[in-house]
Amino acid sequence: MNVKIGPSWKSLLEGEFDKGYFKELTGFVKEEYQKHTIYPPGGQIFNAFDLCPVEDTRVVIIGQDPYHGPGQANGLCFSVREGMPMPPSLVNIFKELKGDLGNEIPSHGSLERWAQQGILLLNATLTVRAHQPGSHQNKGWEEFTDAVIRLLSEKKDGLVFILWGAYAQRKGKIIDSQKHFVIKSPHPSPFSAHRGFFGSKPFSKANNYLLKNGKESINW
């Protein structure tokens, strides 16, 4: 099946694209884009992969759904397009980054700069219907993104996986923690950030691990 995704990912994931579930998923997603307003824009569904080739991947952050409001989603978990107000979880991520490494809070919420440094910003579900959170869950995306995580865990060494919240931590159970560094904390949502997300220092922990393993640190 011809999927428009970066060549390194196409090579890694080619076995998934020919599976029955993925063909059904593709049919569902195409029909949804024809009948409804779907986010992100069709050309950005695989943006996380296109900006972060397999060979450059050093860190994986796992989210859940794309944002479902107009103009927000850009195919990267927790990220919004430039010019859009920052959602509360992203504000808290930047607050923790400032507390951890002293970085000033940026003027916009696009995390493309992170993706271009080898951070795979992976939502479990890659599309969503406008104003209907969770509307594309249990259609096949989760099986696909599980395969991404499993293959990265098997084929790569010394990755950092950042799992914020119970959902990401359940999804991350397939990660080989003997080969990779897994960072867990509560979700940065305002409902849970004060229960251990703030002060968890994921950014310095990730950089320390990368440097210890002979890799460049991330300019967060």
Side-chain angles (χ1 to χ4, degrees):
M1 189 168 181
N2 187 27
V3 178
K4 289 181 179 171
I5 193 169
S8 62
W9 290 105
K10 194 161 211 170
S11 173
L12 183 71
L13 296 165
E14 59 188 347
E16 292 303 304
F17 299 138
D18 292 323
K19 289 182 179 176
Y21 86 86
F22 195 86
K23 291 176 181 175
E24 283 182 31
L25 170 64
T26 302
F28 166 77
V29 169
K30 281 180 178 170
E31 191 172 329
E32 285 284 288
Y33 272 95
Q34 286 164 4
K35 292 185 175 177
H36 304 280
T37 300
I38 304 298
Y39 300 124
Q44 292 191 321
I45 292 173
F46 294 111
N47 203 25
F49 301 89
D50 295 335
L51 291 174
C52 178
V54 175
E55 61 273 15
D56 295 344
T57 302
R58 294 182 280 158
V59 177
V60 181
I61 299 178
I62 298 175
Q64 192 163 355
D65 259 16
Y67 295 118
H68 53 85
Q72 289 182 297
N74 63 355
L76 309 173
C77 71
F78 294 105
S79 171
V80 288
R81 294 161 75 179
E82 287 196 40
M84 298 302 298
M86 289 187 209
S89 291
L90 184 57
V91 170
N92 285 341
I93 287 168
F94 286 141
K95 282 181 181 173
E96 175 59 18
L97 176 57
K98 185 170 187 182
D100 186 2
L101 294 176
N103 297 26
E104 288 305 315
I105 293 174
S107 59
H108 63 80
S110 173
L111 300 179
E112 283 194 8
R113 191 173 63 82
W114 287 9
Q116 289 162 346
Q117 294 183 75
I119 301 176
L120 181 67
L121 294 160
L122 181 67
N123 273 319
T125 304
L126 300 190
T127 53
V128 70
R129 202 182 281 187
H131 311 299
Q132 294 185 41
S135 50
H136 285 190
Q137 289 177 4
N138 303 314
K139 303 295 184 185
W141 278 130
E142 293 92 341
E143 189 171 344
F144 173 71
T145 50
D146 277 354
V148 172
I149 295 164
R150 188 179 63 253
L151 285 163
L152 284 173
S153 178
E154 288 172 3
K155 306 282 186 190
K156 301 269 289 183
D157 289 301
L159 296 180
V160 178
F161 287 88
I162 299 178
L163 309 178
W164 288 325
Y167 182 89
Q169 286 162 28
R170 283 194 303 274
K171 197 165 178 72
K173 283 182 177 172
I174 54 178
I175 299 161
D176 183 347
S177 58
Q178 301 298 307
K179 288 173 66 184
H180 306 285
F181 183 40
V182 180
I183 297 172
K184 299 178 184 178
S185 82
H187 195 276
S189 154
F191 300 109
S192 54
H194 292 280
R195 296 205 297 265
F197 173 75
F198 288 130
S200 61
K201 300 189 180 299
F203 310 103
S204 58
K205 286 175 182 173
N207 276 353
N208 289 341
Y209 177 82
L210 291 170
L211 288 169
K212 243 189 278 182
N213 285 271
K215 300 181 184 182
E216 272 186 62
S217 59
I218 303 289
N219 178 14
W220 299 97

